[in-house]
């Protein structure tokens, strides 16, 4: 079983650069307080790090 992380959107993309909004969409998030369970890969971690002010990692499943 692959490791996964649960990511929650806590910030709005309003008045943010288009790249940050695109990163949110790439993670499957588009509305406030939505959560997604994603595979724990370096690319996903990098996307979360780029917009760390708009998302938070709720839990890590291993």
């Amino acid at each position: 079983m692959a490791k996964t992380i649960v990511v929650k959107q806590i910030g709005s993309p309003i008045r943010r650069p288009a790249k940050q909004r695109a990163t949110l969409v790439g993670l499957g998030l588009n509305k406030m307080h939505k959560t997604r369970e994603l595979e724990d890969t370096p690319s996903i971690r990098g996307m979360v790090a780029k917009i760390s002010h708009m998302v938070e990692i709720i839990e890590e499943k291993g």
Side-chain angles (χ1 to χ4, degrees):
M1 187 168 103
K3 295 175 77 176
T4 61
I5 57 174
V6 179
V7 181
K8 179 179 181 180
Q9 181 177 345
I10 58 169
S12 172
I14 296 173
R15 294 184 56 101
R16 305 271 186 207
K19 278 186 159 182
Q20 291 181 5
R21 181 185 299 264
T23 303
L24 271 177
V25 172
L27 289 171
L29 300 170
N30 61 354
K31 294 183 179 160
M32 293 290 291
H33 308 293
K34 292 262 185 172
T35 60
R36 281 293 307 267
E37 186 170 338
L38 303 166
E39 197 173 342
D40 191 4
T41 62
S43 61
I44 296 292
R45 288 283 183 165
M47 292 170 79
V48 170
K50 285 282 187 183
I51 55 169
S52 61
H53 55 285
M54 288 195 286
V55 297
E56 70 178 356
I57 297 176
I58 296 176
E59 71 177 293
E60 298 181 26
K61 298 178 181 178

